Amino acid sequence: KVLFSQTCQDAADSVSAYSAFSLIAILCYYMLLTDLSVFSTRVSAFALILGRVISEVGLFLFALAFIILGFASGISALDQENTSFDGIPTTALTLLKVVLGMAGSEQYEALDDHPILLITVVVYIIVTVIFMLNLLIAQLNCSYAATFQDMLGFARLKRGTIVVEAMVGVAEVRWTAFVESLELDQPCEFGEGDIGFPGGISMAEPANANITTVDMIRRFGGSTSPTATWPEDNAAGDDQEDRFDKVEKLIKKTMKKLDPSGKRRGGGTSSQGASSAGGGSSLSGSGSQMSE
């Protein structure tokens, strides 16, 4: 006796409906699996782009359905005996097959007996296959170009959203151990021997990844109490260093204007760097003499 089988005589009447719901359930399951794309930023960004350009495809399908309905209604009013264009539903199905390239050669050969029907179908092909499909490609191209600039940021936001939703199922013990492993109570080290404030995670990067000529960290002497007033920067824009920086930037802009072609870039850059370094030292020296 067979214990497990794919057929059941008692459920023969409900097999069709059950199989349809099984199809929907499997598709929904695989749609949920798309959340696994967050493990790769590039794959997640691609999935987000698909979600954002799908609206353009929806507009195209709506316009295509409207055009098919209009041509099907018009062809049904013609005095013709072609079985492929008998009634609005049959005509609409035939026109849809034409767009999808599923129409057989015998259907096109049967159009030779009806010139008006042949002209109508040719106009329909020009409107849908040539115009509408190319318009869809142009819309997808523009939508992709607009979304591509921010797709990595949206991918990271999607990853953060999924992480927050999954945190509900994390045990408190595991979460506490994870937070302690981050050592957020330890001060961050901006540089070798340069200790900063706690509450962050230090990450190393190549020195040429983000080149900065001006120190972005402003340091002030005095108490670190939160109740103390923030010290005023009296030397902002008036010290000799800022003026020398302005002069150096002005010299660089002038050199770029004098040599717009950019020839001898290797030698010019090294000599310019040496001259700017020497000029900076001489200026600073003269500045020190003037201050004395």
Side-chain angles (χ1 to χ4, degrees):
K1 184 178 181 180
V2 180
L3 295 178
F4 301 100
S5 175
Q6 295 182 353
T7 58
C8 181
Q9 299 297 330
D10 297 336
D13 298 334
S14 59
V15 169
S16 179
Y18 180 81
S19 61
F21 282 106
S22 299
L23 169 66
I24 297 174
I26 293 174
L27 292 178
C28 292
Y29 173 75
Y30 276 91
M31 288 180 64
L32 291 175
L33 287 180
T34 57
D35 289 342
L36 297 177
S37 62
V38 298
F39 290 104
S40 174
T41 306
R42 292 179 61 86
V43 177
S44 179
F46 179 74
L48 289 175
I49 288 179
L50 290 179
R52 290 182 175 272
V53 301
I54 198 67
S55 59
E56 305 295 337
V57 180
L59 291 175
F60 167 77
L61 293 177
F62 176 78
L64 181 63
F66 180 79
I67 294 173
I68 290 177
L69 181 61
F71 274 89
S73 301
I75 292 175
S76 298
L78 288 176
D79 184 15
Q80 47 87 22
E81 298 178 356
N82 194 325
T83 57
S84 299
F85 299 93
D86 186 15
I88 295 179
T90 306
T91 305
L93 180 60
T94 303
L95 294 177
L96 179 61
K97 290 181 179 180
V98 170
V99 177
L100 300 178
M102 299 172 60
S105 59
E106 63 278 358
Q107 292 178 327
Y108 291 105
E109 292 175 357
L111 297 176
D112 297 337
D113 300 334
H114 305 281
I116 299 178
L117 179 61
L118 175 62
I119 295 174
T120 305
V121 174
V122 169
V123 173
Y124 168 78
I125 293 175
I126 293 174
V127 172
T128 56
V129 178
I130 298 177
F131 176 72
M132 291 297 296
L133 289 179
N134 285 280
L135 180 61
L136 174 64
I137 294 172
Q139 285 181 318
L140 293 178
N141 190 14
C142 294
S143 180
Y144 178 83
T147 312
F148 178 79
Q149 300 176 357
D150 302 325
M151 67 173 185
L152 292 178
F154 286 124
R156 294 188 179 99
L157 289 176
K158 179 67 175 179
R159 176 183 293 181
T161 303
I162 295 177
V163 169
V164 172
E165 293 176 353
M167 283 179 60
V168 181
V170 179
E172 184 177 357
V173 178
R174 295 185 61 185
W175 174 251
T176 304
F178 171 72
V179 173
E180 291 178 353
S181 65
L182 297 179
E183 298 180 351
L184 297 176
D185 56 339
Q186 300 296 327
C188 296
E189 190 174 9
F190 295 130
E192 189 174 354
D194 187 5
I195 305 301
F197 48 85
I201 300 175
S202 300
M203 296 183 64
E205 65 178 10
N208 58 352
N210 297 285
I211 301 175
T212 51
T213 57
V214 181
D215 191 3
M216 302 302 293
I217 303 175
R218 306 296 297 272
R219 295 176 171 83
F220 297 93
S223 174
T224 58
S225 175
T227 58
T229 58
W230 191 261
E232 296 182 1
D233 190 7
N234 297 324
D238 296 333
D239 56 352
Q240 296 292 334
E241 239 181 75
D242 290 343
R243 281 188 273 181
F244 290 148
D245 290 339
K246 291 180 181 179
V247 172
E248 186 177 357
K249 291 179 181 179
L250 181 60
I251 293 173
K252 289 182 178 180
K253 289 182 180 179
T254 306
M255 294 297 294
K256 288 182 180 179
K257 291 180 180 179
L258 293 177
D259 188 14
S261 60
K263 295 180 178 179
R264 298 182 301 170
R265 183 172 297 175
T269 306
S270 60
S271 61
Q272 182 181 347
S275 62
S276 62
S281 60
S282 61
L283 285 173
S284 60
S286 59
S288 62
Q289 290 177 3
M290 291 175 63
S291 63
E292 288 177 359

